[in-house]
């Protein structure tokens, strides 16, 4: 615990240290995560989400499927959202690109492309993993009666 002389020390129990870092009073870090850290976070989060969905579909877990998917997504967003933004879906990344293009907050198109590529690779890797785990896979398609044709 470092405290600089600029920090308040109401109890007086911790003396101010001369060698305290300049940001010792700030509870947040100011360093931006590297692109490698952001891409790793997007890969891990997307992998976890797709792997969970696949395991629920192949395991036939209709009762707890939604709860497990929502839980994994919540944990991934809390754990990794501060690093990469927690998109975990190419559609979300593209939407953030559109938002930025329209003058709002979002991602530049270069970052959107990189994120979408990493998310796609993570989704394919997760699909391979749950297919190997269960020995089968499934086609993602609308249920009977919900086709567009």
């Amino acid at each position: 615990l470092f405290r600089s002389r600029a920090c308040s020390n109401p109890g007086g129990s911790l003396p101010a240290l001369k060698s305290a870092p300049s940001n010792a009073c700030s509870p947040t870090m100011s360093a931006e995560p590297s692109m490698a850290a952001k891409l790793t976070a997007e890969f891990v989060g997307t992998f976890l989400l797709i792997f969970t969905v696949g395991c629920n579909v192949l395991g036939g877990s209709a009762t707890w499927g939604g709860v497990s998917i929502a839980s994994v997504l919540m944990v991934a967003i809390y754990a990794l959202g501060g690093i990469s933004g927690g998109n975990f879906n190419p559609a979300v990344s593209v939407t953030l690109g559109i938002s930025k293009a329209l003058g709002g907050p979002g991602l530049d198109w270069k970052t959107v492309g990189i994120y979408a590529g990493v998310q796609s690779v993570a989704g394919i890797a997760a699909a391979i993993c749950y297919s190997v785990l269960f020995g089968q896979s499934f086609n993602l398609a609308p249920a009977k009666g919900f086709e567009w044709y």
Side-chain angles (χ1 to χ4, degrees), residues 48-49 52-53 55-56 61 63-74:
L48 289 172
L49 180 60
T52 304
V53 170
C55 287
N56 277 295
S61 177
T63 304
W64 292 102
V67 173
S68 67
I69 293 166
S71 296
V72 165
L73 183 59
M74 182 191 70

Side-chain angles (χ1 to χ4, degrees), residues 41-43 45-47 49-50 73 84-96 107 112 115-120 122-123:
E42 286 296 316
F43 183 92
T46 304
F47 182 93
L49 180 60
I50 300 302
L73 183 59
S84 67
N87 301 349
F88 309 143
N89 184 336
V92 174
S93 297
V94 169
T95 301
L96 288 171
L107 298 172
V112 168
Y115 271 29
V118 168
Q119 292 159 350
S120 298

Side-chain angles (χ1 to χ4, degrees), residues 32-43 83-85 111 115 118:
E32 176 77 15
S34 68
M35 183 57 89
K38 291 178 180 182
L39 297 179
T40 301
E42 286 296 316
F43 183 92
I83 298 169
S84 67
T111 305
Y115 271 29
V118 168

